[in-house]
Amino acid sequence: MRKGHLDSNCRYLAVQKALTAEGEIENIVLKGWVRTVRSGKGVTFLALNDGSSMASIQVVIDASHPDHEAVSAIGTGAALEVEGDLVASPAEGQRWEVKAARITMVGEAGHDYPLQKKRHSFEFLRTIAHLRPRSNTFGAVFRMRNALSFAVHKFFQERGFLYVQTPIITANDCEGAGEMFRVTTLDPRNPPLENSQIDWREDFFGEKTGLTVSGQLQAELFATAFSKVYTFGPTFRAENSNTSRHVAEFWMIEPEIAFANLQDDCKLAEDFLRYHVIYTLENCGEDLQFFNDRIEKGLIDKLEKLAKAEFHVLPYTEAISILQKSGENFAYPVEWGLDLQSEHERYLTEKVFDGPIFVVDYPAQIKAFYMRLNDDERTVAAMDLLVPRVGEIIGGSQREERYDILKMRMDAMGVPSEPLAWYMDIRRWGSCPHAGFGLGFERFLMYVTGMENIRDVIPFPRTPGNAQF
Ligand code: 4AD
Ligand code: MG
């Protein structure tokens, strides 16, 4: 056995390509990590995986191998280069295997390698986030995340949307919820003060800045130049909620469309979801089957149903009345003017509609300043898309395009208009009805994989008290 020599050449095949080969191939090279090792009478079987597919390929090393002693030292987790012939496998459940002619140990792994054969809990795997991508579940999660990231761009590009990269550092709290992480170069022990308040004019950007909670405000500007735009980028919320649906850093997809109202917005959201569900069914078969068998029984049926489902539209006022008449014992009060809690959202999608629903026309006082005031002057043209099990995955609205009404709403909600003069300008020159939404990519992944904790669909989750890795 040779040590540490990487022999990359034209005979190299990804495991996925080897597993789906049309026929036997002589003299191929595979590189990957050992998932399992089994030794029998003079024969060693390895399962080699390189992340290109859920399935590993079986490598057979027989007693005639020149370095059989050293082969017996190969441990789970080791990185190997294997040369040999791809041949039909006599074993059940696999078409091909590799008869090894030469094995090169690239990187050893001892018995203390934490990912041994037994099934580990997701809690444990979170503590080894640097290794969990090498497990079956996380392999499937991150291949699916990759496939759907690509599909997001494909969906929008096929429809003539412009991809815009909105800033990560910003002075504006779009949602007005005070959940921004601070970005500063001031000395925390000795900040410049004026009237015992920090003088942000002295800071790097000359004003108080933070990490963006949404790219929407800038996306609106681009929509009034390019008609249809979308963002897809990191988003930050310093909310101290330790739930299975919240992380402090997540990825949001935010389309924004000009000459559009709330109905157009809902239609876009519906098309988006349907497209991605069908994309998943057509392109992620092996991983989806794994989630269906191991994570959420009936997942594939659920997605097939969703691909054909009718998305109900439910005005907030009606939602409140359904909840009040439900006879359920909710922990949080149900009353017109109060926000819906996750228990209410789940009751509506799971018990009442058994499918996705748009809740629209929320009371103005519980929604952000930019949402368009309806003619009743009590509600705004907002929409949330709720799905069973996960709850809210999309939040969006038609935007207030009328300058005077926007100004009035901002004043009423205590949103200072001076720092947002640029945003309001759009309402002065060539203003037009426009609408958009934000989809939490991780919430969507939870829905299509069946994974129950948002920490398990993002590579390195950031939550209160946790930014390791
Ligand atoms: O409802 P939100 O706060 O809406 C906005 O930010 C709008 N500016 C979007 C727009 O209209 N362009 O957030 C949108 C979505 C939520 O529905 C949820 O899926 C996700 O972002 N989200 C989170 N995902 C994970 N962790 C968090 N802490 C999240 N907060 C919101
Ligand atoms: Mg929301």
Side-chain angles (χ1 to χ4, degrees), residues 140-405:
V141 164
F142 296 122
R143 271 189 302 275
M144 197 102 129
R145 191 177 165 112
N146 167 66
L148 285 172
S149 304
F150 175 73
V152 166
H153 289 290
K154 192 161 151 32
F155 172 84
F156 286 119
Q157 296 293 329
E158 283 171 359
R159 284 160 184 73
F161 282 66
L162 179 114
Y163 174 37
V164 52
Q165 294 82 16
T166 49
I168 287 172
I169 300 174
T170 174
N172 306 105
D173 181 358
C174 171
E175 295 306 300
E179 291 169 345
M180 282 175 90
F181 284 101
R182 186 77 40 81
V183 171
T184 179
T185 52
L186 295 179
D187 180 352
R189 287 156 307 183
N190 186 25
L193 297 175
E194 194 185 63
N195 302 328
S196 62
Q197 300 280 332
I198 294 177
D199 185 2
W200 297 108
R201 288 170 307 179
E202 299 275 316
D203 203 354
F204 189 91
F205 295 105
E207 61 183 321
K208 192 171 168 182
T209 50
L211 298 178
T212 188
V213 298
S214 162
Q216 178 198 322
L217 302 185
Q218 292 92 348
E220 280 188 54
L221 310 184
F222 267 59
T224 58
F226 296 96
S227 308
K228 298 193 276 189
V229 303
Y230 69 104
T231 72
F232 183 9
T235 310
F236 307 87
R237 305 248 167 130
E239 58 188 321
N240 200 0
S241 33
N242 249 314
T243 78
S244 59
R245 308 177 322 130
H246 290 88
V247 273
E249 178 180 296
F250 62 100
W251 283 63
M252 187 151 47
I253 295 147
E254 296 183 275
E256 193 70 32
I257 41 179
F259 307 105
N261 60 20
L262 188 67
Q263 227 182 328
D264 301 316
D265 204 30
C266 291
K267 170 82 171 55
L268 178 64
E270 194 176 323
D271 288 349
F272 180 98
L273 277 195
R274 215 187 296 285
Y275 179 94
H276 288 85
V277 165
I278 293 171
Y279 187 90
T280 310
L281 289 165
E282 289 178 353
N283 295 279
C284 305
E286 192 190 24
D287 293 325
L288 203 53
Q289 192 63 51
F290 173 85
F291 290 120
N292 186 74
D293 298 344
R294 298 289 194 85
I295 306 292
E296 183 183 339
K297 294 265 178 290
L299 176 70
I300 293 177
D301 271 356
K302 176 187 93 174
L303 295 180
E304 278 169 352
K305 217 171 98 193
L306 184 78
K308 294 187 212 110
E310 192 188 326
F311 288 49
H312 300 276
V313 178
L314 179 70
Y316 166 91
T317 304
E318 262 176 56
I320 292 296
S321 119
I322 292 174
L323 291 167
Q324 282 173 337
K325 288 186 199 137
S326 69
E328 289 284 307
N329 237 332
F330 293 117
Y332 290 87
V334 178
E335 206 179 294
W336 200 96
L338 297 182
D339 212 352
L340 298 180
Q341 301 296 323
S342 142
E343 56 172 350
H344 309 137
E345 297 177 343
R346 294 189 57 169
Y347 178 81
L348 291 168
T349 56
E350 289 167 19
K351 302 269 166 59
V352 184
F353 291 93
D354 188 26
I357 50 170
F358 286 110
V359 177
V360 299
D361 300 331
Y362 283 80
Q365 73 260 28
I366 56 169
K367 288 291 186 185
F369 71 93
Y370 52 71
M371 297 192 180
R372 192 179 197 277
L373 194 63
N374 286 326
D375 291 344
D376 63 13
E377 297 192 359
R378 306 165 59 199
T379 61
V380 285
M383 65 95 152
D384 275 3
L385 180 69
L386 315 179
V387 296
R389 223 178 42 79
V390 182
E392 178 197 332
I393 63 171
I394 288 181
S397 72
Q398 185 173 340
R399 318 308 187 187
E400 185 54 79
E401 87 284 12
R402 300 162 296 185
Y403 186 95
D404 294 341
I405 299 178

Side-chain angles (χ1 to χ4, degrees), residues 114-115 118-129 132:
L115 274 180
K118 77 181 189 79
R119 261 183 106 172
H120 300 285
S121 71
F122 293 146
E123 287 78 12
F124 169 72
L125 289 169
R126 268 173 234 144
T127 69
I128 52 164
R132 70 177 183 170

Side-chain angles (χ1 to χ4, degrees), residues 12-15 18 28-32 48 57 59 80-82 98:
Y12 168 75
L13 268 191
V15 168
I28 60 165
V29 176
L30 299 171
K31 302 172 196 200
L48 194 75
I57 195 158
V59 176
L80 298 183
E81 185 178 307
V82 177
V98 176

